[in-house]
Amino acid sequence: MGLLGGIYAIWLREVKRALRDRGQLIGGVSRPLMWVLIMGIGLNPYFRGEVFGEVRFAIPYTYIQFIFPAIVVLNIMYTSVQSAVSVIWDREFGFLREVLVSPLPRWAALLGKILGGTTIAVFHGCLVLVLARFADVTFTFEQLALGLVYMFLLAFGLTSFGVVIANHIRSFEGFGVFSNAVILPLYFTSSSVFPLDPALTRAQTLVVYPEWLVTIVEWNPITYAVDALRGTFINFNQFNPSLGPIVLAVIAVVFFTWALFDFRKA
Amino acid sequence: MTEHTSNPAENAIVVTDLTKRYGRMVALDAVNLTVPNNTMFALLGPNGAGKTTLIHILCTILRADGGQAFLAGSDIARQPLQARQNIGVVFQEPSLDDRLTAYENLDFHGRVYNVKAADRKQGIDELLALVELEDWRHAVVRTFSSGMKRRLEIARALLHKPRILFLDEPTVGLDAQSRAGIWSYLDTLRKQRDLTVVVTTHYIEEVENCDQVSIIDHGKIIADGSPSQLKHAHGKETARVTPRDPETATAITAKFGIVQTSKDGSLIIDASAPGFADAFLGEFGSRIKQVSFDVPSLESVFLTLTGRELRDRGADEHEKRGAAGRRGRRS
């Protein structure tokens, strides 16, 4: 009971701080609006292709529908990784010590912190879901529930990842540079903004795309996060549907363990 | 300390042979220390003596290289979580979340230390009243002055009713009024509950009111006892003399031997011999500008033991290294 109270206290602090940070909230709202309204609507008419002389839709969805789950992932990525800035903050401004001398075990302190970041990230993911109507995406309550589970796993894994990075970076500036240098490439190579046509064999895909790009997409774990959410929200999977949940769970476990290892050393 | 037994259960703090090295530098050299329950204990020493290192080890945020320490009966190496439940800590630098309000900082602390909701609420009210911050309960800590922050940290460190309160230089950087305030809060508290207070300081006048004082230098405890015991054992009556010319200075030095030379050129000499004043003034009375006599004080005890005046300070190499270590203690 005492342990839960402590984890709750740390979680509560993270959430309070994030909600008081106007800049983060504005980013969380404006980012999906920009992607849905500008990218989505702008590219919508071009999202059909001619493959081997045969005109057809690449996939049976509009472009907005196609990128909508990816925008959920993008918003979660930004928020999760950003939330790890608070690790640097705590170290710089001394609050870390208050936690270190407390009778709370290290793993509980870390868990509270990561759950706090995860909550905010899932919340920002939900801000995108509010736009579902404009993207012409409809889903049932069950789909929403499953989607939230995937979003939670993704946010948990990415927040842990952010904490790992924050443990190795000393300055706020370094962290800002880092997060942009990592988030966007991961996002763009996750088959988020363009599909790898599932109707094509790998050999045919390689005719359309250079091999390095296909390889990166296939190795990028975010690809499977996007795919899992696509499968959930628009019933479209480019990869084996069971891969998504597995990859998400592995990311969450691996990075949390890593973050804990670093934090114990501290 | 010989008059107290070393039974960990009867003493708030028992430290045996505690050692800490930073590379080749020995920060703590087999420190032994016993602090009985309910004492106001002061750790006195110049900068870089190892005070902060000792406190950090006792708070379990720094690991010792050797030796043992018990806090309220718990071994800090084997039962760190239990030891932490029994201590409250106020560090040299603030460790508040300055984006939260005073109340939220205290509430956070209470939850993390598993203080029951009703006790937490009552404790927060009482402690905010004690440190005179009731009116600032819902103000964000960022807007606080450094004195207010320090007071809030003291209130926070007491919320879970610790048996030992560590204060690392609690009055540094505060104006005289705030300093006096902090000591009066501590006095009030010790009348209300069982509490051992461990304070490091280099303001000697603050130490006079403590029950027990340990003087630490170069990582070793060089003396301990109550202030009056220390004065008896190590204090000397000294005379501070300003000679008119260098020849007189040489003559005085030859005859009485100097304890120390002050920066302003005056000599501090041993005046404890009977009839010193007569003998000294008879011989040198016309050749000195000024003479003053010091009765034994902790200041003179400190001077005798370390050969330094406590106020001769300025962060030396060691302390700076400590400060750098505090900022990025992770590697």
Side-chain angles (χ1 to χ4, degrees):
Chain A
M1 193 55 225
L3 216 52
L4 278 181
I7 295 173
Y8 172 71
I10 292 188
W11 175 87
L12 187 66
R13 166 176 178 257
E14 290 298 313
V15 171
K16 271 185 185 162
R17 282 174 64 98
L19 292 180
R20 279 175 203 177
D21 187 350
R22 291 277 161 73
Q24 208 190 7
L25 274 179
I26 291 170
V29 172
S30 71
R31 209 177 300 119
L33 275 178
M34 194 174 73
W35 279 87
V36 170
L37 293 181
I38 301 175
M39 283 291 279
I41 293 178
L43 285 174
N44 216 17
Y46 300 94
F47 193 56
R48 54 199 67 189
E50 188 178 342
V51 182
F52 300 123
E54 189 185 339
V55 178
R56 62 185 184 111
F57 292 106
I59 59 167
Y61 297 96
T62 68
Y63 187 62
I64 299 189
Q65 286 172 330
F66 176 77
I67 63 166
F68 182 76
I71 299 171
V72 176
V73 170
L74 179 69
N75 232 23
I76 290 179
M77 284 176 88
Y78 263 106
T79 316
S80 297
V81 175
Q82 273 305 307
S83 74
V85 166
S86 77
V87 172
I88 301 179
W89 185 283
D90 288 356
R91 195 168 53 220
E92 278 302 297
F93 296 99
F95 191 79
L96 178 63
R97 287 200 178 164
E98 155 78 352
V99 178
L100 290 184
V101 295
S102 80
L104 206 58
R106 297 280 166 92
W107 67 264
L110 184 69
L111 182 65
K113 191 154 194 77
I114 290 179
L115 283 178
T118 305
T119 306
I120 297 298
V122 170
F123 169 67
H124 279 202
C126 290
L127 289 179
V128 183
L129 293 184
V130 172
L131 299 174
R133 183 178 282 268
F134 301 100
D136 209 13
V137 173
T138 52
F139 40 79
T140 64
F141 182 75
E142 286 79 17
Q143 282 174 306
L144 176 64
L146 184 63
L148 284 175
V149 171
Y150 291 156
M151 284 158 68
F152 175 85
L153 282 175
L154 175 68
F156 189 88
L158 287 173
T159 308
S160 306
F161 172 65
V163 169
V164 168
I165 300 307
N167 273 330
H168 294 274
I169 290 183
R170 289 273 176 264
S171 69
F172 294 101
E173 297 84 351
F175 194 84
V177 170
F178 161 83
S179 58
N180 269 321
V182 163
I183 291 174
L184 285 179
L186 273 178
Y187 173 68
F188 284 127
T189 60
S190 64
S191 185
S192 54
V193 289
F194 54 85
L196 294 179
D197 193 333
L200 302 178
T201 63
R202 186 177 159 95
Q204 286 171 317
T205 306
L206 289 180
V207 174
V208 184
Y209 291 111
E211 186 173 2
W212 60 266
L213 186 57
V214 176
T215 309
I216 291 176
V217 170
E218 285 174 351
W219 279 90
N220 181 355
I222 301 300
T223 303
Y224 302 96
V226 172
D227 200 53
L229 285 184
R230 249 181 215 142
T232 309
F233 289 131
I234 63 172
N235 299 312
F236 171 70
N237 279 98
Q238 298 189 82
F239 301 90
N240 184 344
S242 63
L243 265 179
I246 294 173
V247 170
L248 283 173
V250 169
I251 296 178
V253 171
V254 166
F255 282 115
F256 182 74
T257 313
W258 188 352
L260 186 60
F261 177 76
D262 280 353
F263 193 51
R264 279 240 172 102
K265 257 191 331 190
Chain B
M1 295 310 296
T2 45
E3 64 265 45
H4 304 289
T5 57
S6 291
N7 182 351
E10 286 171 22
N11 291 303
I13 302 175
V14 177
V15 171
T16 42
D17 292 332
L18 207 64
T19 303
K20 177 75 190 173
R21 290 179 207 91
Y22 293 112
R24 287 173 56 204
M25 198 202 62
V26 180
L28 290 181
D29 188 1
V31 168
N32 289 292
L33 195 65
T34 305
V35 181
N37 280 328
N38 274 329
T39 3
M40 179 80 101
F41 173 80
L43 200 55
L44 188 66
N47 280 339
K51 288 175 300 198
T52 296
T53 304
L54 180 57
I55 296 278
H56 281 188
I57 290 176
L58 291 179
C59 303
T60 72
I61 61 169
L62 199 62
R63 209 162 289 164
D65 295 324
Q68 272 191 310
F70 291 88
L71 296 180
S74 317
D75 184 334
I76 59 164
R78 297 217 189 112
Q79 306 148 295
L81 299 186
Q82 210 174 316
R84 288 182 206 159
Q85 184 73 44
N86 286 324
I87 60 171
V89 189
V90 178
F91 290 108
Q92 251 175 51
E93 300 91 10
S95 63
L96 297 160
D97 184 337
D98 65 358
R99 288 196 196 169
L100 298 184
T101 65
Y103 177 83
E104 285 167 336
N105 267 292
L106 293 174
D107 190 59
F108 173 88
H109 184 90
R111 287 175 192 275
V112 168
Y113 282 76
N114 199 17
V115 179
K116 290 199 182 62
D119 296 346
R120 199 162 67 222
K121 201 170 171 308
Q122 196 195 347
I124 291 175
D125 290 343
E126 283 172 13
L127 288 165
L128 281 177
L130 174 76
V131 299
E132 299 170 84
L133 286 174
E134 301 113 307
D135 295 345
W136 302 85
R137 167 185 281 260
H138 294 298
V140 176
V141 171
R142 196 174 20 203
T143 60
F144 283 22
S145 70
S146 52
M148 288 160 74
K149 283 185 185 164
R150 201 66 56 93
R151 274 145 60 194
L152 182 59
E153 285 199 89
I154 290 176
R156 184 178 68 173
L158 290 164
L159 183 60
H160 59 288
K161 299 210 161 44
R163 293 182 51 196
I164 309 168
L165 176 65
F166 287 101
L167 300 156
D168 195 3
E169 306 269 5
T171 50
V172 161
L174 303 187
D175 56 75
Q177 200 185 350
S178 306
R179 276 166 54 186
I182 282 175
W183 285 99
S184 84
Y185 305 145
L186 292 178
D187 282 340
T188 316
L189 263 168
R190 291 191 55 235
K191 282 176 198 135
Q192 291 168 356
R193 51 168 101 164
D194 281 359
L195 184 68
T196 302
V197 179
V198 175
V199 61
T200 73
T201 184
H202 49 248
Y203 291 111
I204 252 170
E205 64 276 15
E206 294 182 342
V207 175
E208 297 278 356
N209 302 321
C210 293
D211 306 318
Q212 192 187 329
V213 181
S214 282
I215 297 181
I216 183 170
D217 196 22
H218 300 302
K220 283 186 175 162
I221 305 275
I222 52 178
D224 56 10
S226 69
S228 62
Q229 281 171 336
L230 284 175
K231 282 182 218 165
H232 265 292
H234 306 283
K236 277 188 208 156
E237 233 172 291
T238 54
R240 187 182 285 264
V241 183
T242 314
R244 278 190 198 283
D245 48 62
E247 291 80 54
T248 315
T250 321
I252 293 175
T253 311
K255 178 137 190 188
F256 295 98
I258 55 164
V259 179
Q260 212 214 356
T261 315
S262 283
K263 276 193 196 125
D264 56 9
S266 61
L267 308 171
I268 296 173
I269 57 180
D270 184 357
S272 54
F276 169 84
D278 272 348
F280 178 78
L281 290 176
E283 186 165 357
F284 296 106
S286 57
R287 289 150 71 185
I288 55 174
K289 274 193 242 171
Q290 199 179 332
V291 60
S292 64
F293 291 91
D294 288 336
V295 291
S297 64
L298 281 175
E299 188 99 34
S300 65
V301 170
F302 191 83
L303 187 69
T304 316
L305 288 168
T306 65
R308 275 181 276 174
E309 273 187 276
L310 201 53
R311 291 292 173 74
D312 277 353
R313 42 188 302 273
D316 57 28
E317 212 42 43
H318 179 159
E319 184 80 355
K320 275 184 206 147
R321 200 178 315 164
R326 278 194 291 281
R327 283 183 83 77
R329 257 199 54 251
R330 255 200 34 88
S331 47

